[in-house]
Amino acid sequence: MREAFNEGLAQLIPVAHRMGVAAVELRPGLAVCRVPLEGNGNHLGTMYAGVLFTVAEVLGGALCLPSFDTGRFYPVVRDLKVDFRRPARSDVLARAELDQATIARVAAEAEEHGKAPFTLEAVLTDTGGTVVATTVGSYQLRKH
């Protein structure tokens, strides 16, 4: 599953792939992606804010791969709010989870109505475990 996401990212979102965004753990209800600092810095020597946004935003698609039937449904992001907390001076891990009840609700609603909204909260940490950003994303699962 992880390899499929990482290979798909190169085709579907080439800019994220070029940043080095990669899934490190994917299972139903959980997505964890990593992005390296190298090549993604800014004029301050910290990670560029757009890279942090990107690694957080792709979690919506990453989480859908093991959680929903992606042959029948696809995710879209509708909104993403970022709270930058600390400068990121190392690689960053982004983590988001959905509980099983939410997954079941979203799947049933998308089946019945052709689409279903869901909210995904993410935490981005540096390699020392310091929270560098948090996000709240509004996504929608849509029927093909």
Side-chain angles (χ1 to χ4, degrees), residues 53-129:
F53 176 95
T54 300
V55 72
E57 188 277 327
V58 300
L59 291 172
L63 190 132
C64 284
L65 190 61
S67 302
F68 301 105
D69 181 354
T70 54
R72 300 183 59 232
F73 301 100
Y74 63 95
V76 294
V77 63
R78 300 191 53 177
D79 183 64
L80 187 78
K81 293 181 178 25
V82 183
D83 181 7
F84 298 106
R85 305 240 178 138
R86 298 265 188 261
R89 292 185 170 89
S90 69
D91 294 359
V92 168
L93 279 179
R95 177 187 182 97
E97 295 182 68
L98 278 182
D99 60 62
Q100 293 305 312
T102 301
I103 292 170
R105 177 199 57 82
V106 170
E109 192 174 316
E111 181 64 41
E112 184 176 345
H113 301 289
K115 59 186 177 180
F118 65 98
T119 300
L120 197 58
E121 295 181 9
V123 176
L124 286 70
T125 56
D126 65 14
T127 55

Side-chain angles (χ1 to χ4, degrees), residues 1 26 28-30 33 36 40 46 52 60 95 130 135-136:
M1 186 100 17
L26 293 180
L30 175 69
C33 290
N40 291 314
T46 61
L52 293 169
R95 177 187 182 97
T130 299
T135 64
V136 178

